[in-house]
Amino acid sequence: MAGSIKIVNLDDCKWEFKQVGKGEWMSAKVPGTVHQDLIDHDLLPDPFYGLNENKVQWVENEDWAYRTSFNITDNEMNYQGAILNFEGVDTYADIYLNGALIKRTDNMFVGYTIPVKGFLRKGENNLQILFHSPIKMTLPQLETQEFQYPADNDHSENKVSVYSRKAPYSYGWDWGIRLVTSGLWRPVTLTFFDNAFIDDMYVRQESVTEKVAKLDNIFTINSLADDNAVVKLECSYKSEPAVTVQKEIKLQKGENTISLPLVINYPHLWWPNGWGEAALYDCVATISVNGKEVALKKERIGLRTIEVVLDDDKDGKSFFFRVNGKPMFAKGANYIPDDALLPNITEDRIKRMFADVKDANMNLIRVWGGGVYESDLFYKYADENGIVLWQDFIFGCTSYPSDPTFMKRVEEEAYYNIRRLRNHASLGMWCGNNEILEGLRYWGWEKKYSDPSIMKEMFEGYDKLFRQLLPAKVKELDPGRFYMHGSPYEANWGIPESWKIADSHNWGVWYGRKPFEAFDKEVGRFMSEYGFQSFPEMKTISTFAAEKDYQIESDVMNGHQKASIGNELIDKTMRIYYNVPEKFEDFVYVGQVLQGKGMRRGFEAHRRNMPYCMGTLYWQLNDSWPVVSWSSIDYYGNWKAMHYEAKRAFAPIIINAIKEGDDLNFYIISDRLEDNDNVTLELKTIDFTGKVLVKDIVKGNIKANSSALFHKADFNAMAKSPRESLILMTLKDKSGKIINKDQYYFNYPKDLDLPKAKIETKLKKADGEYMLTVKSKELAKDLFIEVPVQGARFSDNFFDLLPGETKVVIIKSDKLKKNDNFNIKIHQLSDTVIK
């Protein structure tokens, strides 16, 4: 025997690629994509710049070959088994090792584990992968189908995307560039082992309470021979002694399933962000044969219960998450893939994204069904940050085939990803798809097809995929986890009665062109999609456009605006609430303020209506390229105004003032798990110089996990000098500590007489961190601090600097240097108005 398990990372080998039938072999990166490799060799322009998207489409129609070689030592040849593991192959590929075809692949969403002991040789080994054009591979399916599926996201004449188990968004979306990639998009490793290896370790949480957690640990073990062995499991929390269990077993040659129960008394529970520690246990399993350890497997688990309550009630049908027995109002967003070129997503980017989510007081993210099943690191950081995940299967916005070949691919994909993800504490639910049933029912697809049997086939296909195959796989492999056939459950934003049923996607404020006030009335039981767009800030725009393109309807701006009504609707809606600036740069700034304030109205409306509404997931958290979109964080990691507004609206306890009739009502909304008694709400109407016009003090109690009307005031009595005043709202606990602070304005911004405040600044610099102090004698509304550093983090931004207030803003980035002399720009809303 050669010894314990050994893993060789083949990503570190020298890789080469070439277009099949043309040119010379060139250096390549793995993980990677052919697009990125061509860019690195200056054979493809930056697809994100200008209108270059149109210049790179030829790549998807060609075949590409990748190759490498690696050496096998005598010691490695002495191992009894060897496995070649491809974690991600995109998508149609033939894999050759030392002259043998060892695998043909056809699914981007599965990993391929290939036994290769018999193919290896001492010394140099040659590995080559031939990638077939995903377009050419699927054209015969389109050409032999009697109809074309309604894949509106597929920005091409031949809509073949539905036939491939490949990231749908790569074919284009209403926020996404079209980059139909090929390549080894996840790591490649070669594993050597003796006797046996642990293929899978499922930590099934049979019951979890504050007093005891009962686990059934189910192992799938592949053995090379009949052997007596000992399987051992140790689960530990931080520095506490491990809980250990072991069992003598008889391994049979081939696959073995072993159960190893374990009990943890008084467990540390995993809690979502805002409710407590996201406590995690390290579980290590080993297999020993003849006293020698031959296999090892590690998992990190969080002990908790997550239920999704979908029940008929007096109002319709509920939909909410219950974590460790507590009903949780879900605060979060929809997540799309963070890059059009997936291997560009580094661990640092994932880590930073979850920090952004946590800092914005979110507790839930939906992994949307038009992207990919995310990397193991993504779920790791969700676990560590206490972020519950709503996980879609990767189907979106069109019906799909349901023939036996396609169904087999989906079954393999579900098997692979359910087993890969089911141990994660963050995994809250599975959802079959995004908006397909809504499309079948309400998007007018029946008008495209003269033969009614086509719609019948698509409805039947929906049932086969999403009501039969996928729920059966979840029940088999992840029993107890909630599954829903699709989102929205059955609602449509144009049918008010449907908002009472489970989750809703409300696009009335965007595609329905409604004002933001519609958010106050159009409230569902769980708001799983809704949004409004903005441009990214100027330093991001400058990465894809020249100054000559700085117009909202220039060719380049329209090329980076994929929504059908995009820039025109931003302009139209801005005119309702704001004076529309003449300068493009000011339009971009005001557009971000517009998006942030408008969307915050939705965030607060949904929280105000709890427990009728129990969740708000806006569209969308992030971008996959520099683009005009619904995101709150742009491609380079810059927080837009909306992300700061989300942070404020998602704070654990907030004050929400809203005019209802002749009353100005003040709601207090809390998702704390404890009551706050004897609190004080201070209300001051002040003018824009700080003079107090009206003052009121209200005392009361705040119930845990609730929304309640705290105080009712006469609007006209509070609205003194409404064009030049605001209400300063301060909530304090019984010790006088400020719980929350906010402002309320009586008019739209365009109807306010805002001063052009003189802002005093003081800047203290250190490497990696700047401290900016700002002060003004008058109100400076919607203050935006702009630095020419991508991804810099601000302790606050896009805020109102109150009259007489001194505020310190910390700016952090490893790109900030003490001796830099770049200009920090400070914008206020009044500077955009020409009088």
Side-chain angles (χ1 to χ4, degrees), residues 560-593:
H560 285 72
Q561 166 59 271
K562 299 297 185 178
S564 57
I565 57 175
N567 298 344
E568 169 264 328
L569 184 59
I570 295 172
D571 180 82
K572 178 182 176 182
T573 307
M574 189 182 295
R575 293 177 188 280
I576 299 174
Y577 301 98
Y578 294 86
N579 293 294
V580 178
E582 294 182 1
K583 290 174 60 179
F584 177 77
E585 293 86 347
D586 288 342
F587 182 90
V588 168
Y589 154 60
V590 175
Q592 285 213 18
V593 174

Side-chain angles (χ1 to χ4, degrees), residues 102-119:
I102 60 172
K103 190 69 179 179
R104 281 200 165 113
T105 72
D106 58 13
N107 195 323
M108 181 179 179
F109 302 132
V110 301
Y112 295 95
T113 301
I114 310 167
V116 293
K117 173 65 177 174
F119 298 96

Side-chain angles (χ1 to χ4, degrees), residues 114-133:
I114 310 167
V116 293
K117 173 65 177 174
F119 298 96
L120 296 175
R121 60 196 180 206
K122 180 185 173 183
E124 185 176 84
N125 290 255
N126 297 305
L127 178 65
Q128 183 166 320
I129 301 96
L130 172 63
F131 290 96
H132 301 282
S133 160

Side-chain angles (χ1 to χ4, degrees), residues 11-29:
D11 300 346
D12 297 333
C13 295
K14 179 183 177 182
W15 285 87
E16 296 179 311
F17 84 111
K18 70 187 295 291
Q19 185 176 345
V20 173
K22 291 184 181 180
E24 302 295 324
W25 289 97
M26 299 171 286
S27 61
K29 293 179 182 177

Side-chain angles (χ1 to χ4, degrees), residues 535-555:
F535 284 73
E537 62 179 276
M538 288 304 302
K539 66 188 175 196
T540 293
I541 291 174
S542 69
T543 68
F544 66 78
E547 286 192 25
K548 64 182 176 61
D549 304 312
Y550 290 176
Q551 306 168 52
I552 65 169
E553 295 298 341
S554 70
D555 289 343

Side-chain angles (χ1 to χ4, degrees), residues 331-344:
K331 303 178 297 184
N334 288 263
Y335 175 88
I336 65 170
D338 207 39
D339 208 296
L341 299 172
L342 287 163
N344 287 344

Side-chain angles (χ1 to χ4, degrees), residues 598-619:
M599 288 294 289
R600 181 174 176 178
R601 185 155 195 146
F603 307 155
E604 293 175 337
H606 303 155
R607 291 193 72 184
R608 186 172 65 244
N609 280 278
M610 68 181 293
Y612 174 83
C613 177
M614 284 298 289
T616 183
L617 307 179
Y618 64 81
W619 187 271

Side-chain angles (χ1 to χ4, degrees), residues 361-373:
N361 298 305
M362 298 182 187
N363 55 25
L364 191 145
I365 291 295
R366 177 184 174 216
V367 182
W368 167 77
V372 297
Y373 305 93

